[in-house]
């Protein structure tokens, strides 16, 4: 197969494997067509005020001060006297969008929808706002529009401040919350003189939503333990007190207003969120007003063993914890609107102050609202599955649904409310299990199809390696032309059968791709079975023990890489083992200095996986030190190559680049100093940062294509950008990694010379752009498997060496402050992703250099890399199938996505790296032509 065609086919196959995990595990749980359910009785409240303090941790609100007082005196008084309180448990990802969807719509948004944007509404869903008569919202332009856009009709009104106000460098981010309280005050004052607005406000089923972003912004900028964060909480408390007084006064203290105060997510001590740390998943919930239970004092121990009650000095007040999605049915019940049809929340009855009948009817409504979703899901799956293959959910067959409905209704009529509530809660539990059952109905079938394709593709790549890059003894093929035709016809028949089966089941188009892809893949494998025959015939002449030893080592190495995704310290162990390679292989006797350099480089790099992934405090002095180390390393590069290859005109560019690195090492210090003094981001620093980023891939193309000169230019250019994106010890990673990569290039050449009798080719004389003599390209050897494994190992180390991928909440917004401070999730995410890619490119350029220096076809080594990464991905796919808990499944899925992304990225980056190393950009003058 032509190399270009092979590359394109491989890319398509891996993209399909990558996307399959989202169709299997991350499809939207939403269904449509349900009938809304509302409690038939009179609701206790006419209106509801929802206050969401974005980024507020539970302990930050509930923990009293050292003197026993509270920074939230008003809410503390509500907890102890007027309302009901508890902890709202959120789910991963602990981000603003999924948190607000859970609060207001009652379901946990699927990952694919979260990734589609903040300001749009990528999936149509119902919400409490949509079911209300009118909803008025004040707050962030990132949150409010998605609920207004999804609402039916024109009854959700939003008032937002400009996006530019969400500035992490702001002198006082609490002004965002002050803006909200001021706008609410102005709104009610204007309503007194606006008769139409006043009439709308006096209607029932109204909601007022206050989204307060100041706490979250201050937490990111200054950390949750900072005075700014804590003072902002006090400001919110006083603002809530004033707003409650304002609203009560406007409505004449009619006692028909319910209040809900909570948060969408918490925040870690280091100012991030997104993962599952308790500081992120535990948020406060305080509810009071119409229809809500007053504080209940208790003397006996409460059933919570987390120790928070003692820390918060609230042992004497009953605590009522909920899941975040439970708040939506609670709000709907308080004002008498239908529970959002997509809600999976369970109504927390402990918060309601109403009759037993009202509680039973509300729970009945909740149960059948969830059951409606189950019915629609079951009907959809039943209609798209052949009748003899359909297996219903046994706990809720149609007869059992009718039995539940009839029995619950009878119990309510007989005034056996507690029994009715218990039965309805059981029905909700069964319905939620059934939703999961039908939502994952095709998971095993699709998983088998993907595994079949995966194994087939990996087998095909192995056969291609054996056929085109090894010296097997060739024998006449066992499969003739007629057999090939028969095989093609058989595969066509299988494809037709699969297509007809999927058509009958009305399967989505993606199912056709996953199920049909294995057919051509296995056809290609069976066509190459003659290569397997060659291997069998060549077996007696192969060093079988050496082959077996390599196989065992590679299998162990792949397992080590898989384990490193769960335990980063394993990379340290791996690097320690790799450091012994020159001594075990005999290279030490031939090149002592390079062997010792390799040993020390591996041990220095081994320190980084042991550093904390999250919770690191910013240390800009280390960024400056990294800049000095970069200059020192660059000087060593120049000194080592100057003896053999004079720099000529290229020396001026390196001097300029080194001065640029020095500037970029100083800019973060200047920027963070300015932000600490609350003077904002200096414009000059911002210009330098963006200019450095824009030129990082172009500047190396101006340098010589000689090996060391080009690598040095790439290193200086990328490190300058990396320094601007660093806040601490991670800035030291690229210089140390580059040092080890430089040694790797040198020692690999020695390894080739050690194994062959060919003459030495000076590394400094190699030119990336020189024409390659095909006749000098050698066949693949067993040692090339080791080179490919080293490459994959260093790629994984580049991923996890600084903790940038290991956890969502290791992404510190402070990393991008040299570029921008105004909140923009996409630009910030892109900059952080580029920071992750930079070590990747350093390793890729090194691998490209080794391919040239060892005179091996780049396709040969890359095919082995492909096999290793595919085996890792397949390992994670099997782990996903084996795990029972969603936490374990989610971890394995994320690792599978990382490996597949890495493989696809490597395939694309190999082209970029080739251009980066072997091309030259002439801007000012044409190259001189030399003739013999």
């Amino acid at each position: 197969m032509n190399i270009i065609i092979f590359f394109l086919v491989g890319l398509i196959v891996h993209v399909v494997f990558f996307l399959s995990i989202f169709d299997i595990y991350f499809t939207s749980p939403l269904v449509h067509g349900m009938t809304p359910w509302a409690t038939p009785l009179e609701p206790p409240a006419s209106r509801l005020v929802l206050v969401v303090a974005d980024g507020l941790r539970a302990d930050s609100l509930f923990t009293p001060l050292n003197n026993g007082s509270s920074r939230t005196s008003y809410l503390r008084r509500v907890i102890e006297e007027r309302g009901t309180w508890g902890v709202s448990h959120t789910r991963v990802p602990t981000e603003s969008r999924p948190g607000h969807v859970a609060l207001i719509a009652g379901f946990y948004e699927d990952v694919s929808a979260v990734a589609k944007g903040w300001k749009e509404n990528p999936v149509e869903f119902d919400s409490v706002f949509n079911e209300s008569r009118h909803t008025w919202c004040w707050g962030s332009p990132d949150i409010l529009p998605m609920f207004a856009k999804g609402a039916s009709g024109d009854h959700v009104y939003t008032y937002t401040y400009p996006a530019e106000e969400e500035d992490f460098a702001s002198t006082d981010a609490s002004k965002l919350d002050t803006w909200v309280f001021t706008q609410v005050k102005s709104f009610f004052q204007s309503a007194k003189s606006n008769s139409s607005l006043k009439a709308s406000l006096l209607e029932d089923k109204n909601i007022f939503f206050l989204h307060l972003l100041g706490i979250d912004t201050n937490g990111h900028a200054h950390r949750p333990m900072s005075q700014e964060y804590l003072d902002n909480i006090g400001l919110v408390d006083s603002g809530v007190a004033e707003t409650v007084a304002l609203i009560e006064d406007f409505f004449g203290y009619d006692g028909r207003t319910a209040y809900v105060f909570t948060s969408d997510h918490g925040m870690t001590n280091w100012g991030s969120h997104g993962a599952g740390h308790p500081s992120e998943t535990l948020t406060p919930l305080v509810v009071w007003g119409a229809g809500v239970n007053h504080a209940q004092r208790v003397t006996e121990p409460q059933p919570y063993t987390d120790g928070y009650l003692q820390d918060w000095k609230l042992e004497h007040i009953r605590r009522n914890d909920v899941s975040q999605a439970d708040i939506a049915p609670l709000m709907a019940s308080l004002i008498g609107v239908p529970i959002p049809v997509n809600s999976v929340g369970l109504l927390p009855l402990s918060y309601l102050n109403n009759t037993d009948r009202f509680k039973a009817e509300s729970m009945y409504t909740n149960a059948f609202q969830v059951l409606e979703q189950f019915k629609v899901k079951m009907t959809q799956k039943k209609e798209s599955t052949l009748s003899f293959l359909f297996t219903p959910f046994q706990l809720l067959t149609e007869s059992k649904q009718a039995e539940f409905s009839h029995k619950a209704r009878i119990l309510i009529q007989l005034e056996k409310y507690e029994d009715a509530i218990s039965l309805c809660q059981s029905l909700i539990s069964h319905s939620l299990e059934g939703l999961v059952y039908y939502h994952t109905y095709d998971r095993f079938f699709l998983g088998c199809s993907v595994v079949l394709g995966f194994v087939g593709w990996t087998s095909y790549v192995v056969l291609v390696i054996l056929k085109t890059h090894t010296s097997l003894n060739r024998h006449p093929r066992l499969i003739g032309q007629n057999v090939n035709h028969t095989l093609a016809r058989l595969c066509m028949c299988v494809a037709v059968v699969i297509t007809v089966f999927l058509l009958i089941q009305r399967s989505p188009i993606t199912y056709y791709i996953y199920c049909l892809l294995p057919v051509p893949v296995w056809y290609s494998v069976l066509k190459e079975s003659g290569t397997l025959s060659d291997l069998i015939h060549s077996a007696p002449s192969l060093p079988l023990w050496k082959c077996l030893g390599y196989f065992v080592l590679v299998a162990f190495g792949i397992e080590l890489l898989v384990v490193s995704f769960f335990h980063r310290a394993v990379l340290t162990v791996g690097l320690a083992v790799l450091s012994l390679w020159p001594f075990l292989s005999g290279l030490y006797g031939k090149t002592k200095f390079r062997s010792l350099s390799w040993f020390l480089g591996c041990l220095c790099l081994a320190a980084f996986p042991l550093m904390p992934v999250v919770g690191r405090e910013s240390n800009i002095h280390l960024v400056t030190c990294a800049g000095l180390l970069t200059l020192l390393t660059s000087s060593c590069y120049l000194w080592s190559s100057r003896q053999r290859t004079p720099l000529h005109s290229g020396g001026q560019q390196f001097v300029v680049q080194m001065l640029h690195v020095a500037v970029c090492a100083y800019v973060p210090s200047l920027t963070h100093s300015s932000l600490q003094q609350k003077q904002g981001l200096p414009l000059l620093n911002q210009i330098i940062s963006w200019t450095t980023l824009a030129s990082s891939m172009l500047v190396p193309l101006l340098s010589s294509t000689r090996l060391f000169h080009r690598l040095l230019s790439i290193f200086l250019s990328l490190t300058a950008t990396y320094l601007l994106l660093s806040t601490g010890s991670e800035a030291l990673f690229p210089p140390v990694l580059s040092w080890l990569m430089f040694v790797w290039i040198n020692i690999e050449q020695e390894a080739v010379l050690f194994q062959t009798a060919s003459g030495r080719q000076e590394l400094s004389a190699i030119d990336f752009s020189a024409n390659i003599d095909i006749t000098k390209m050698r066949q693949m050897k067993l040692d090339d498997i080791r080179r490919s494994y080293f490459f994959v190992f260093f790629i994984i180390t580049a991923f996890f060496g600084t903790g940038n991928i290991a956890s969502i909440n290791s992404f510190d917004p402070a990393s991008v402050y040299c570029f921008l401070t105004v909140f923009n999730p996409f630009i910030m995410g892109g900059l952080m992703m580029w920071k992750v890619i930079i070590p990747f490119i350093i390793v890729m350029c090194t691998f490209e250099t080794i391919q040239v220096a060892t005179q091996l076809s780049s396709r040969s080594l890359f095919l082995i890399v492909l096999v290793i990464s595919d085996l890792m991905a397949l390992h994670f796919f099997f782990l996903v199938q084996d795990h029972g808990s969603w936490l374990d499944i989610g971890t394995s899925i994320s690792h599978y996505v990382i490996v597949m992304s890495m493989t696809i990225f490597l395939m694309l980056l190999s082209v970029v790296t080739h251009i980066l190393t072997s091309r030259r950009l002439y801007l000012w003058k044409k190259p001189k032509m030399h003739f013999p």
Side-chain angles (χ1 to χ4, degrees):
M1 186 185 289
N2 181 277
I3 182 63
I4 301 299
I5 297 176
F6 181 87
F7 176 84
L8 292 175
V9 171
L11 190 62
I12 292 171
V13 168
H14 282 84
V15 168
V16 171
F17 291 156
F18 173 76
L19 296 177
S20 67
I21 202 70
F22 294 98
D23 253 352
I24 298 174
Y25 288 97
F26 287 140
T27 51
S28 174
L30 300 185
V31 289
H32 302 287
M34 290 80 70
T35 303
W37 282 73
T39 305
L41 303 180
E42 177 71 18
S46 298
R47 65 201 72 90
L48 181 137
V49 180
L50 171 62
V51 182
V52 177
D54 202 306
L56 176 60
R57 296 160 43 143
D59 60 343
S60 297
L61 178 73
F62 294 136
T63 304
L65 299 174
N66 293 330
N67 60 8
S69 63
S70 174
R71 66 175 57 89
T72 55
S73 56
Y74 177 77
L75 289 173
R76 185 79 178 194
R77 194 161 58 251
V78 168
I79 291 171
E80 295 183 346
E81 298 174 4
R82 300 173 50 196
T84 302
W85 76 283
V87 173
S88 170
H89 296 265
T90 69
R91 283 193 186 180
V92 176
T94 46
E95 298 288 347
S96 291
R97 179 191 171 94
H100 281 88
V101 169
L103 283 170
I104 300 168
F107 72 93
Y108 302 102
E109 194 169 31
D110 64 290
V111 173
S112 59
V114 175
K116 291 180 182 176
W118 290 60
K119 298 179 181 179
E120 295 297 325
N121 197 357
V123 287
E124 182 183 348
F125 60 83
D126 192 18
S127 71
V128 176
F129 293 174
N130 185 51
E131 297 291 352
S132 68
R133 191 180 305 278
H134 301 284
T135 295
W136 290 270
C137 312
W138 297 268
S140 168
D142 298 316
I143 297 298
L144 304 190
M146 68 179 180
F147 292 101
K149 185 174 181 179
S152 59
D154 186 22
H155 65 276
V156 178
Y157 312 98
T158 61
Y159 305 90
T160 64
Y161 38 75
E164 294 75 21
E165 294 293 323
E166 300 176 17
D167 189 348
F168 294 124
S170 171
T171 55
D172 185 12
S174 63
K175 66 182 181 182
L176 301 177
D177 299 341
T178 302
W179 183 93
V180 171
F181 292 127
T182 302
Q183 290 295 314
V184 172
K185 185 176 182 180
S186 300
F187 173 80
F188 279 101
Q189 287 178 345
S190 63
K192 293 178 180 180
S193 57
N194 187 328
S195 57
S196 60
L197 176 58
K198 186 175 183 179
S200 298
L201 290 173
L202 292 176
E203 292 180 304
D204 61 355
K205 298 179 173 58
N206 285 338
I207 295 177
F208 305 95
F209 175 40
L210 282 65
H211 177 245
L212 309 175
L213 189 63
I215 293 175
D216 184 76
T217 305
N218 271 320
H220 286 309
H222 306 289
R223 307 294 184 260
M225 300 305 169
S226 65
Q227 197 59 44
E228 290 85 352
Y229 183 89
L230 299 176
D231 288 345
N232 202 153
I233 296 175
L235 182 146
V236 166
D237 180 73
S238 59
V240 169
E242 292 178 9
T243 301
V244 171
L246 176 71
I247 292 174
E248 291 295 332
D249 178 70
F250 182 87
F251 291 105
Y253 299 92
D254 62 357
R256 296 282 296 174
T257 307
Y259 300 90
V260 176
F261 180 91
T262 187
S263 176
D264 54 344
H265 57 75
M267 187 171 291
T268 62
N269 290 342
W270 48 94
S272 64
H273 53 82
H277 192 275
S279 60
E280 301 166 85
T281 60
L282 303 182
T283 60
L285 175 63
V286 184
V287 187
W288 70 100
V292 181
N293 268 329
H294 287 266
Q296 299 179 19
R297 298 189 175 275
V298 293
T299 55
E300 68 278 3
Q302 300 192 48
Y304 297 99
T305 59
D306 47 32
Y308 294 131
L309 285 170
Q310 291 75 22
D311 295 340
W312 299 338
K313 309 300 181 189
L314 288 171
E315 311 99 304
H316 59 294
I317 306 294
R318 186 176 299 282
R319 169 180 162 186
N320 300 276
D321 284 11
V322 301
S323 295
Q324 194 171 45
D326 299 343
I327 298 175
L330 172 63
M331 294 190 295
S333 177
L334 287 172
I335 59 174
V337 300
I339 298 174
V341 294
N342 303 117
S343 172
V344 294
L346 175 66
L347 177 64
L349 295 178
S350 58
Y351 280 78
L352 294 181
N353 179 21
N354 215 310
T355 63
D356 290 342
R357 184 190 172 195
F358 182 88
K359 293 180 180 180
E361 289 285 1
S362 297
M363 187 57 71
Y364 182 88
T365 299
N366 191 184
F368 282 86
Q369 166 264 319
V370 178
L371 182 63
E372 279 289 318
Q373 297 179 70
F374 171 82
K375 288 180 178 179
V376 172
K377 196 76 171 180
M378 181 184 70
T379 302
Q380 289 179 352
K381 188 53 60 182
K382 191 174 183 180
E383 291 176 350
S384 63
T385 306
L386 295 174
S387 57
F388 66 91
L389 294 176
F390 180 72
T391 306
F393 182 63
Q394 296 301 321
L395 294 178
L396 272 183
T397 58
E398 293 184 2
S399 60
K400 290 184 178 179
Q401 293 174 31
E403 181 183 344
F404 266 114
S405 176
H406 177 72
K407 188 174 181 180
R409 195 72 261 168
I410 291 297
L411 288 172
I412 293 176
Q413 291 175 357
L414 294 176
E415 299 184 358
K416 296 182 178 180
Y417 299 124
E418 289 188 5
D419 293 338
I421 289 172
S422 178
L423 182 65
C424 289
Q425 289 173 337
S426 175
L427 178 57
I428 291 175
S429 177
H430 291 334
S431 298
L432 293 177
E433 289 179 27
L435 280 172
V436 173
Y437 173 80
Y438 286 120
H439 185 63
T440 60
Y441 193 83
D442 295 329
R443 184 171 289 179
F444 180 76
F445 167 67
L446 293 176
C448 290
S449 299
V450 172
V451 168
L452 193 62
F454 227 132
V455 173
W457 169 256
T458 306
S459 303
Y460 175 70
V461 175
V462 171
L463 291 175
V464 168
I465 294 173
L466 293 174
K467 178 181 179 181
T468 60
H469 301 287
T470 58
S471 303
L472 294 177
N473 297 325
R474 307 298 174 186
H475 292 79
R477 292 290 176 260
L478 299 176
I479 299 181
Q481 196 69 19
N482 292 333
V483 178
N484 275 336
H485 288 160
T486 303
L487 181 62
R489 293 191 189 99
L490 177 62
C491 289
M492 285 296 295
C493 291
V494 172
V496 169
V497 170
I498 293 174
T499 303
V500 171
F501 175 76
L502 295 176
L503 279 172
I504 293 174
Q505 295 214 130
R506 291 183 289 180
S507 301
I509 189 66
T510 51
Y511 283 33
Y512 291 83
I513 299 174
Y514 307 140
C515 296
L516 290 175
L517 181 62
V519 177
V521 169
W522 278 101
Y523 170 72
S524 301
V525 171
L526 295 175
K527 275 190 65 177
E528 298 293 342
S529 59
T531 304
L532 187 59
S533 174
D534 291 340
L535 178 63
I536 295 173
H537 283 93
S538 302
S541 61
L542 295 175
L544 293 181
W545 285 108
K546 188 175 181 180
C547 293
L548 181 62
Y550 261 89
F551 176 80
V552 172
L553 286 175
V554 170
F556 174 78
I558 291 175
E559 189 65 28
L560 182 141
L561 290 176
V562 169
V563 175
S564 71
F565 277 73
F566 299 94
H567 307 284
R568 292 171 64 244
V570 172
L571 291 174
T572 299
V573 177
L575 284 166
V577 173
L578 292 189
S579 69
L580 302 176
W581 164 56
F583 305 97
L584 299 176
S585 63
L587 285 172
Y588 177 73
K590 186 175 179 63
T591 171
K592 291 183 172 60
F593 177 75
R594 290 174 179 175
S595 297
L596 289 174
S597 297
W598 169 268
F599 177 76
L600 293 175
C602 286
L603 293 184
C604 289
L605 196 66
F608 286 92
L610 296 177
M611 294 181 180
V613 178
V614 293
R616 295 172 299 197
E617 290 295 329
S618 296
N619 190 337
I620 303 301
H621 296 300
L622 288 178
V623 179
T624 306
C625 291
L628 296 175
L629 181 60
T630 301
L631 297 177
L632 177 62
T633 307
S634 304
S635 301
C636 293
Y637 284 169
L638 290 173
W639 178 82
S640 65
S641 62
R642 183 181 179 186
Q643 306 300 321
R644 302 181 181 89
T645 309
L647 292 176
H648 299 304
S649 59
Q652 296 177 353
Q653 179 182 341
F654 293 132
V655 172
V656 172
Q657 284 191 270
M658 291 173 72
L659 289 174
H660 187 210
V661 169
V663 171
C664 291
Y666 178 65
V667 166
S669 176
L670 190 62
T671 299
H672 285 261
S673 175
S674 177
L675 295 181
Q676 285 180 353
Q677 297 173 17
K678 298 186 177 181
Q679 295 176 353
L681 172 60
L683 179 61
L684 179 60
N685 294 13
Q686 196 171 17
I687 293 173
I688 292 173
S689 300
W690 284 107
T691 304
T692 302
L693 176 67
S695 62
S696 59
M697 295 296 286
L698 295 177
V699 170
L701 298 178
L702 301 174
S703 67
S704 166
T705 52
R706 288 296 178 94
L707 184 146
F708 288 122
H709 298 170
R710 178 52 64 91
L711 290 181
L712 176 59
S713 183
I714 293 171
F715 167 61
L716 290 172
S717 181
L718 294 178
T719 303
T721 306
Y722 199 92
L723 292 173
L724 295 170
L725 291 167
S726 299
T727 60
S729 59
E730 80 273 15
L732 297 166
F733 186 70
V736 176
L737 178 66
S738 300
W739 170 29
L740 182 59
M741 294 298 99
F742 174 76
V743 177
W744 187 27
I745 295 169
N746 283 271
I747 205 169
E748 282 293 0
Q749 192 196 39
E750 294 294 341
V752 171
L753 295 174
F754 183 68
Q755 295 171 351
T756 63
S758 59
R760 172 188 291 273
Q761 181 187 19
E762 289 294 340
L763 287 172
S764 57
I766 296 176
D767 195 313
F768 283 116
S769 63
N771 291 326
I772 299 174
D773 188 352
I774 300 297
T775 61
K776 293 183 179 180
M777 302 303 288
R778 61 181 177 81
Q779 288 288 346
M780 185 179 294
K781 298 182 181 297
L782 283 174
D783 210 41
D784 294 319
I785 299 176
R786 175 195 54 76
R787 292 186 178 92
S788 300
Y789 178 79
F790 276 16
F791 168 69
V792 176
F793 185 91
F794 287 132
I795 283 292
I796 301 297
T797 303
F799 252 134
F800 292 109
T802 59
N804 287 321
I805 294 292
S807 176
I808 291 176
N809 60 24
S810 68
F811 287 84
D812 188 352
S815 299
V816 301
Y817 284 173
C818 291
F819 293 86
L820 78 165
T821 55
V822 176
F823 178 69
N824 189 313
F826 302 108
I827 294 179
M828 288 179 167
L831 289 170
M832 292 179 185
M833 189 54 63
W834 180 243
K835 179 181 178 182
V836 173
I837 291 172
I838 286 175
F840 246 49
I841 298 177
I842 293 174
V843 178
M844 282 293 295
C845 290
T846 303
F847 196 54
E848 179 82 11
T849 305
I850 290 173
Q851 290 173 4
V852 175
T854 59
Q855 295 183 330
L856 182 66
S857 166
S858 60
R859 180 188 178 191
S860 304
L861 286 177
F862 192 77
L863 286 176
I864 302 177
V865 170
L866 206 59
V867 171
I868 294 173
S869 60
D870 284 347
L871 288 175
M872 289 175 58
L874 193 58
H875 197 307
F876 284 122
F877 200 90
F878 281 123
L879 286 178
V880 171
Q881 303 295 325
D882 291 340
H883 282 313
S885 71
W886 173 246
L887 181 61
D888 290 336
I889 290 176
T891 302
S892 297
I893 288 174
S894 66
H895 294 158
Y896 173 84
V897 170
I898 288 174
V899 174
M900 290 306 299
S901 302
M902 181 189 73
T903 306
I904 295 170
F905 182 69
L906 289 179
M907 298 178 76
L908 295 173
L909 194 59
S910 61
V911 179
V912 176
T913 303
H914 182 71
I915 294 173
L916 191 62
T917 55
S918 62
R919 299 293 187 269
R920 189 168 183 182
L921 183 65
Y922 297 96
L923 297 181
W924 301 287
K925 58 182 180 180
K926 294 182 179 179
K928 294 180 180 180
M929 305 301 292
H930 296 279
F931 298 95

